[in-house]
Amino acid sequence: MNSVILQDIWRGIFQENPVFRMFMGLCPLLGVSAYLLSGLSMGLIFTGVLICCNLIFALLQGGIPAQVRLPVFVIISATLVTTVDIILQVYYPGMREELGIYLLLLAVNCVFFARVEVFASRRPLVRSIFDVLGVGLGFTIAIVVLAGIRELLGTGALMGAEVFGPHFEPIRMLREAPGAFIALGLLMALANTIYRKYRLLDDDTENEAGEGGSLWNS
Amino acid sequence: MPNYLKSALVFIFAGIVGGIFLTGVNLWAEETIEERQLQQELAILEDYFPGVASYKEDEVEGMNAQLVYGKEKEFLGVLMTTRQQGYSDYIVYQLAVDRQGKIVGLKVLEHNETEDIGGVIEEPEFREQFLGVSFQDTVSEKVEVVSGATESTRAIIDSVEEVMEVVEEEYLNQ
């Protein structure tokens, strides 16, 4: 695969991971990460909606004046998120209950806007799609790891299956909001340590190309 | 065309297209979702009123009432959903009354009472005392307050008394 495309995906997962590096999109992350299955669903929906939003936006981009770029994008994302919500209501009402208000709140998620403003509105379609794919994967990885830790230690089970046996005393706090914040803080620290140690944050192509694909450089 | 006009038109157009699209999605999904909600409601009602076939929503004195009908459209009873100030917060509960005016079920849907104390209102031992109590009875004579959880249980008993009065007035003389 083209190295620019790989870089685009790579950047979303590592140096511009929305959760660990940008601290964005924390609302759905904290809200639905108590159980692995709901976390995974949220991650996949997040990625899917983000890609569709970007695709539609990129196709329409030429006709949208800069002044109304953001409002039009809100309409696109709100329409898509509501559609997903209705589809879940029809096919997976249980999952929809689990995701609750956080699903609809995706419509105004700052990660969506950041990627459109910073990347999609200045780059070719194909690259912006791979960029949001990377960002979506970065978010999914973060929420799956966090939800896995919270469910495992908070209930002693994973995907509903008992792991530690009857003698394990679950850390109930992890299922609640304070536990989510603490676990997320520790996870962020750990992720950043790992990223630094293995030099996953280097972003050579962008610097070479000098076009500033990074949010920090723009 | 001035720039602001173009911006406005694009924005309005986007809104209209989004609206039309969502209307389509909604029309497609509406029937399935309503059907499922109906089935869920009927499943809940079936616990109190076996043989339920349909129900009608009503609202009376701030309470939500579901008038329950059987297969031949005969009146089976009414399920009242109401809330009552308990010890620490509102207690939301359902009271099912059959057409003879007897309580056939009581279920606490939501409460914030102290778990080990006021939590008894959720226990079957407390709730089952209400079964069979008629609108002609005085509820507080038939059901005992649980010592230690006086406020929580007293709140439910008083509230049931009120609800029974409303039910008698509104629905039993049909």
Side-chain angles (χ1 to χ4, degrees), chain A residues 62-68 71-72 75-76 78-80 82-83 86-93 172, chain B residues 3-4 6-8 10-11 14-15 17-19 21-22 25-26 28-30 32-33 36-37 40 115:
Chain A
I64 303 175
Q67 296 98 316
V68 286
V72 169
I75 293 182
I76 297 174
T79 308
L80 284 177
T82 314
T83 308
I86 293 172
I87 291 173
L88 282 189
Q89 274 185 60
V90 172
Y91 294 110
Y92 307 98
R172 270 173 65 177
Chain B
N3 225 348
Y4 67 87
K6 191 188 171 207
S7 301
V10 168
F11 184 51
V17 171
F21 180 74
L22 279 183
V25 176
N26 225 343
W28 163 77
E30 206 172 32
T32 326
I33 294 170
R36 177 171 300 125
Q37 275 168 350
Q40 279 173 352
E115 203 161 308

Side-chain angles (χ1 to χ4, degrees), chain B residues 68-81:
Chain B
V68 182
Y69 300 94
K71 286 204 176 60
E72 271 110 54
K73 298 271 170 215
E74 75 276 24
F75 181 62
L76 289 181
V78 58
L79 180 69
M80 307 290 290
T81 307

